[in-house]
Amino acid sequence: MVTDDTFRESGESSPLVKIRSLLPGLARAEQRVANIVLADPASIARRSITEVAEAAGTSETTVTRFCKAIGVGGYPDLRIALAADTARTSVRDRELGSDIAPDDDLGQIIEKVGYADAKAVEETAGQLDAAILQRLVDDVATARRIDVYGVGASAFVALDLQQKLHRIGLTCFAWADTHNALTSAAVLREGDVAIGISHTGATSETVEALREARRRGATTAALTNFARSPITEVADRVLTTAVRETTYRSGAMASRIGQLTVIDCLFIGVAQRHLDQAKAALEATYEAVGGHRLDSRPDRRRQKET
């Protein structure tokens, strides 16, 4: 029987995280069931399979297929998992986790945005596959060079990883331009690593660059919110975020929080593998830019002014 503990053992902090991750890859009828579940998981725990099928405009067989597609044995097991998940969630959590309403005041917006960002970090960390992350850490730590591809908001995350790895002495390039990404990927070879970052996993430019890197023999990795998206088909390693979106919080906003969480974990894992080198490089780079920092002590500032 699949229970709440089963989800936790498999790395999922909640059945809802798994459903959101797999949503784009489900059949259309199964997506309707998923949307019904995501809209009001507490009520699903109390409803029969017939009621859910009718609400989704589909059959009981489709509901059962949906359960199997998300890794649950059947509808009774899904109800148990959702009931346990709902029991852990307080009324206040449900309020803050709801969509931002047009009449919410600025205080409510701050609370909801803060909650959503914190939840993105918590749920991303809760479902992150440590074994796959470890393999990518090993790949990056021993790579001749690392390419990172990302466009739009994901480009900022790619640049963050490039800056972090570069500061500890690794050869890393971040590419946001399609032509530059493809020409860089074309000269990669075995022993190199290419990482594609795409919230949807369907950004054609990023998928194309990662495909070219793989064709040339590089080890490829994808960072995406959806485990069954096109980018995963060209990746040797797949790491996922767990980000929910609302009307006002597009993928360009919320996805960055989850992506940066994964990037930080990857960077620290790699830095541990090069501990002495990393410490020396960080100290050297800190010292190099030291002259460009203003003294925060008022007395020292006054002395310089006089």
Side-chain angles (χ1 to χ4, degrees):
M1 176 180 290
V2 176
T3 65
D4 181 59
D5 290 335
T6 306
F7 279 97
R8 291 188 176 280
E9 288 167 5
S10 63
E12 300 294 344
S13 57
S14 162
L16 303 179
V17 172
K18 182 71 172 290
I19 293 169
R20 283 192 292 268
S21 171
L22 298 177
L23 183 59
L26 297 175
R28 193 164 297 179
E30 292 169 1
Q31 287 183 353
R32 294 201 300 271
V33 177
N35 288 327
I36 292 291
V37 173
L38 292 172
D40 191 359
S43 74
I44 298 301
R46 302 187 300 269
R47 296 165 75 177
S48 70
I49 188 172
T50 303
E51 291 173 319
V52 172
E54 290 176 354
T58 188
S59 66
E60 294 179 16
T61 302
T62 298
V63 177
T64 301
R65 278 203 307 269
F66 161 76
C67 293
K68 291 180 179 178
I70 65 168
V72 180
Y75 185 69
D77 300 323
L78 177 63
R79 290 179 63 187
I80 292 171
L82 291 173
D85 191 64
T86 301
R88 291 196 311 269
T89 307
S90 68
V91 174
R92 181 165 176 75
D93 285 342
R94 287 195 290 271
E95 289 175 352
L96 292 179
S98 64
D99 205 346
I100 296 174
D103 57 348
D104 279 349
D105 60 36
L106 194 54
Q108 291 172 307
I109 291 171
I110 291 171
E111 280 193 304
K112 288 185 176 182
V113 169
Y115 177 88
D117 285 352
K119 205 67 178 174
V121 172
E122 177 188 344
E123 293 186 342
T124 292
Q127 59 81 57
L128 193 58
D129 192 317
I132 294 177
L133 178 62
Q134 183 62 64
R135 286 197 285 273
L136 183 56
V137 166
D138 295 340
D139 295 333
V140 172
T142 58
R144 181 185 70 100
R145 60 176 276 184
I146 304 106
D147 265 16
V148 191
Y149 313 124
V151 300
S154 294
F156 297 109
V157 181
L159 284 168
D160 183 75
L161 178 57
Q162 186 270 333
Q163 188 261 355
K164 282 180 166 66
L165 294 178
H166 186 73
R167 280 198 67 178
I168 60 172
L170 299 186
T171 303
C172 182
F173 303 93
W175 306 105
D177 177 84
T178 304
H179 287 204
N180 287 338
L182 286 170
T183 53
S184 181
V187 296
L188 295 182
R189 61 175 189 256
E190 188 175 348
D192 296 333
V193 173
I195 302 172
I197 302 173
S198 170
H199 174 70
T200 63
T203 306
S204 61
E205 297 92 336
T206 305
V207 174
E208 187 179 1
L210 206 61
R211 180 182 292 112
E212 178 64 18
R214 191 186 211 185
R215 191 170 75 87
R216 298 292 177 170
T219 298
T220 56
L223 175 54
T224 178
N225 203 63
F226 302 106
R228 293 182 183 172
S229 52
I231 198 170
T232 65
E233 298 172 5
V234 294
D236 301 308
R237 321 276 187 238
V238 177
L239 295 171
T240 56
T241 54
V243 178
R244 348 175 177 197
E245 299 298 347
T246 67
T247 301
Y248 294 92
R249 294 177 56 74
S250 69
M253 294 173 63
S255 64
R256 236 178 7 255
I257 303 297
Q259 288 171 347
L260 288 171
T261 299
V262 179
I263 291 305
D264 283 350
C265 293
L266 172 62
F267 166 70
I268 292 171
V270 173
Q272 282 183 326
R273 291 284 301 274
H274 297 280
L275 194 56
D276 291 339
Q277 174 188 325
K279 284 182 177 180
L282 289 171
E283 288 172 4
T285 53
Y286 183 86
E287 182 181 347
V289 298
H292 293 271
R293 293 190 180 90
L294 297 175
D295 199 317
S296 60
R297 293 167 293 182
D299 57 328
R300 292 296 180 90
R301 290 202 304 273
R302 283 195 294 270
Q303 287 177 12
K304 290 179 180 179
E305 289 169 2
T306 58

